[in-house]
Short mmCIF file of all heavy atoms in Angstrom, two decimals:
data_model
loop_
_atom_site.label_atom_id
_atom_site.label_comp_id
_atom_site.label_asym_id
_atom_site.label_seq_id
_atom_site.Cartn_x
_atom_site.Cartn_y
_atom_site.Cartn_z
N SER C 34 -33.21 16.90 7.83
CA SER C 34 -32.95 17.63 6.60
C SER C 34 -33.04 19.13 6.82
O SER C 34 -33.07 19.89 5.88
CB SER C 34 -33.91 17.18 5.49
OG SER C 34 -35.21 17.21 5.98
N THR C 35 -33.12 19.56 8.07
CA THR C 35 -33.08 21.00 8.36
C THR C 35 -32.10 21.24 9.49
O THR C 35 -31.68 20.30 10.17
CB THR C 35 -34.46 21.53 8.80
OG1 THR C 35 -34.94 20.68 9.84
CG2 THR C 35 -35.43 21.56 7.64
N GLY C 36 -31.76 22.52 9.71
CA GLY C 36 -30.89 22.87 10.84
C GLY C 36 -29.43 22.60 10.53
O GLY C 36 -29.09 22.12 9.46
N TRP C 37 -28.57 22.95 11.48
CA TRP C 37 -27.14 22.86 11.22
C TRP C 37 -26.68 21.44 10.96
O TRP C 37 -25.75 21.19 10.21
CB TRP C 37 -26.34 23.48 12.37
CG TRP C 37 -26.49 22.78 13.69
CD1 TRP C 37 -27.46 23.02 14.61
CD2 TRP C 37 -25.67 21.74 14.21
NE1 TRP C 37 -27.29 22.17 15.68
CE2 TRP C 37 -26.20 21.39 15.48
CE3 TRP C 37 -24.53 21.08 13.75
CZ2 TRP C 37 -25.65 20.39 16.26
CZ3 TRP C 37 -23.98 20.09 14.54
CH2 TRP C 37 -24.54 19.73 15.79
N LYS C 38 -27.36 20.48 11.59
CA LYS C 38 -26.95 19.09 11.38
C LYS C 38 -27.10 18.68 9.92
O LYS C 38 -26.33 17.88 9.41
CB LYS C 38 -27.79 18.16 12.24
CG LYS C 38 -27.35 18.13 13.68
CD LYS C 38 -28.15 17.07 14.41
CE LYS C 38 -27.83 17.09 15.89
NZ LYS C 38 -28.79 16.28 16.63
N SER C 39 -28.12 19.24 9.28
CA SER C 39 -28.34 18.86 7.88
C SER C 39 -27.20 19.35 7.01
O SER C 39 -27.01 18.89 5.89
CB SER C 39 -29.67 19.42 7.38
OG SER C 39 -29.55 20.81 7.22
N TRP C 40 -26.42 20.33 7.50
CA TRP C 40 -25.27 20.80 6.72
C TRP C 40 -24.01 20.02 7.10
O TRP C 40 -23.27 19.57 6.24
CB TRP C 40 -25.04 22.30 6.97
CG TRP C 40 -26.09 23.10 6.30
CD1 TRP C 40 -27.30 23.47 6.82
CD2 TRP C 40 -26.05 23.62 4.97
NE1 TRP C 40 -28.01 24.19 5.89
CE2 TRP C 40 -27.28 24.30 4.76
CE3 TRP C 40 -25.10 23.59 3.94
CZ2 TRP C 40 -27.56 24.93 3.55
CZ3 TRP C 40 -25.39 24.23 2.75
CH2 TRP C 40 -26.61 24.88 2.55
N VAL C 41 -23.80 19.88 8.41
CA VAL C 41 -22.54 19.29 8.86
C VAL C 41 -22.43 17.83 8.44
O VAL C 41 -21.34 17.34 8.11
CB VAL C 41 -22.41 19.45 10.38
CG1 VAL C 41 -21.19 18.72 10.90
CG2 VAL C 41 -22.32 20.92 10.74
N PHE C 42 -23.52 17.12 8.45
CA PHE C 42 -23.46 15.68 8.16
C PHE C 42 -23.94 15.37 6.74
O PHE C 42 -24.15 14.22 6.40
CB PHE C 42 -24.28 14.90 9.17
CG PHE C 42 -23.83 15.16 10.58
CD1 PHE C 42 -24.71 15.60 11.54
CD2 PHE C 42 -22.49 14.97 10.93
CE1 PHE C 42 -24.29 15.85 12.84
CE2 PHE C 42 -22.06 15.22 12.22
CZ PHE C 42 -22.96 15.65 13.18
N THR C 43 -24.13 16.40 5.93
CA THR C 43 -24.74 16.17 4.63
C THR C 43 -23.81 15.43 3.69
O THR C 43 -22.58 15.47 3.85
CB THR C 43 -25.15 17.50 3.99
OG1 THR C 43 -25.92 17.21 2.82
CG2 THR C 43 -23.91 18.28 3.55
N VAL C 44 -24.38 14.75 2.73
CA VAL C 44 -23.59 14.21 1.63
C VAL C 44 -24.12 14.75 0.30
O VAL C 44 -23.71 14.31 -0.76
CB VAL C 44 -23.61 12.67 1.60
CG1 VAL C 44 -22.92 12.11 2.82
CG2 VAL C 44 -25.01 12.13 1.47
N ASP C 45 -25.05 15.71 0.39
CA ASP C 45 -25.64 16.27 -0.82
C ASP C 45 -24.61 17.16 -1.52
O ASP C 45 -24.06 18.07 -0.92
CB ASP C 45 -26.87 17.10 -0.42
CG ASP C 45 -27.52 17.76 -1.61
OD1 ASP C 45 -27.04 17.53 -2.74
OD2 ASP C 45 -28.49 18.50 -1.41
N HIS C 46 -24.35 16.88 -2.79
CA HIS C 46 -23.30 17.62 -3.49
C HIS C 46 -23.59 19.11 -3.54
O HIS C 46 -22.67 19.91 -3.59
CB HIS C 46 -23.10 17.06 -4.89
CG HIS C 46 -24.19 17.43 -5.85
ND1 HIS C 46 -24.09 18.51 -6.69
CD2 HIS C 46 -25.41 16.89 -6.09
CE1 HIS C 46 -25.21 18.60 -7.42
NE2 HIS C 46 -26.00 17.63 -7.06
N LYS C 47 -24.84 19.51 -3.50
CA LYS C 47 -25.15 20.94 -3.60
C LYS C 47 -24.82 21.63 -2.29
O LYS C 47 -24.24 22.72 -2.27
CB LYS C 47 -26.64 21.11 -3.95
CG LYS C 47 -26.99 20.56 -5.33
CD LYS C 47 -28.41 20.80 -5.73
CE LYS C 47 -29.39 19.97 -4.95
NZ LYS C 47 -29.17 18.50 -5.10
N LYS C 48 -25.21 21.00 -1.18
CA LYS C 48 -24.86 21.61 0.12
C LYS C 48 -23.34 21.62 0.29
O LYS C 48 -22.78 22.61 0.77
CB LYS C 48 -25.51 20.82 1.26
CG LYS C 48 -26.99 21.14 1.39
CD LYS C 48 -27.59 20.43 2.58
CE LYS C 48 -29.01 20.92 2.80
NZ LYS C 48 -29.76 20.03 3.70
N ILE C 49 -22.69 20.55 -0.09
CA ILE C 49 -21.23 20.52 0.01
C ILE C 49 -20.63 21.62 -0.85
O ILE C 49 -19.71 22.33 -0.43
CB ILE C 49 -20.70 19.13 -0.38
CG1 ILE C 49 -21.10 18.13 0.69
CG2 ILE C 49 -19.18 19.16 -0.54
CD1 ILE C 49 -20.75 16.70 0.36
N GLY C 50 -21.19 21.79 -2.05
CA GLY C 50 -20.71 22.84 -2.94
C GLY C 50 -20.85 24.21 -2.30
O GLY C 50 -19.92 25.03 -2.31
N ILE C 51 -22.00 24.48 -1.70
CA ILE C 51 -22.21 25.79 -1.08
C ILE C 51 -21.24 25.97 0.09
O ILE C 51 -20.67 27.05 0.26
CB ILE C 51 -23.67 25.93 -0.61
CG1 ILE C 51 -24.58 26.01 -1.83
CG2 ILE C 51 -23.85 27.17 0.26
CD1 ILE C 51 -26.04 25.98 -1.52
N MET C 52 -21.02 24.90 0.85
CA MET C 52 -20.09 25.04 1.97
C MET C 52 -18.67 25.31 1.49
O MET C 52 -17.95 26.13 2.07
CB MET C 52 -20.13 23.79 2.86
CG MET C 52 -21.37 23.76 3.75
SD MET C 52 -21.29 22.49 5.01
CE MET C 52 -21.58 21.02 4.04
N TYR C 53 -18.26 24.63 0.41
CA TYR C 53 -16.97 24.95 -0.20
C TYR C 53 -16.92 26.43 -0.55
O TYR C 53 -15.94 27.12 -0.31
CB TYR C 53 -16.78 24.16 -1.50
CG TYR C 53 -16.03 22.85 -1.40
CD1 TYR C 53 -16.65 21.65 -1.73
CD2 TYR C 53 -14.70 22.83 -1.05
CE1 TYR C 53 -15.95 20.44 -1.67
CE2 TYR C 53 -13.99 21.64 -0.98
CZ TYR C 53 -14.62 20.46 -1.31
OH TYR C 53 -13.93 19.28 -1.25
N GLY C 54 -18.00 26.93 -1.13
CA GLY C 54 -18.06 28.32 -1.56
C GLY C 54 -17.92 29.28 -0.39
O GLY C 54 -17.17 30.25 -0.45
N VAL C 55 -18.66 29.01 0.69
CA VAL C 55 -18.62 29.89 1.86
C VAL C 55 -17.22 29.90 2.45
O VAL C 55 -16.64 30.95 2.76
CB VAL C 55 -19.66 29.43 2.90
CG1 VAL C 55 -19.48 30.18 4.21
CG2 VAL C 55 -21.05 29.62 2.35
N PHE C 56 -16.66 28.69 2.59
CA PHE C 56 -15.31 28.54 3.11
C PHE C 56 -14.32 29.34 2.26
O PHE C 56 -13.51 30.12 2.78
CB PHE C 56 -14.97 27.04 3.06
CG PHE C 56 -13.58 26.70 3.48
CD1 PHE C 56 -13.27 26.51 4.82
CD2 PHE C 56 -12.58 26.53 2.53
CE1 PHE C 56 -11.99 26.18 5.20
CE2 PHE C 56 -11.30 26.20 2.92
CZ PHE C 56 -11.00 26.01 4.25
N ALA C 57 -14.41 29.16 0.93
CA ALA C 57 -13.48 29.84 0.03
C ALA C 57 -13.66 31.35 0.11
O ALA C 57 -12.68 32.11 0.14
CB ALA C 57 -13.69 29.37 -1.39
#
Side-chain angles (χ1 to χ4, degrees):
Chain C
S34 49
T35 51
W37 63 273
K38 282 186 185 168
S39 72
W40 288 88
V41 173
F42 303 125
T43 189
V44 295
D45 178 3
H46 74 95
K47 295 184 289 300
K48 282 184 172 165
I49 290 174
I51 291 173
M52 283 191 286
Y53 265 118
V55 171
F56 176 86

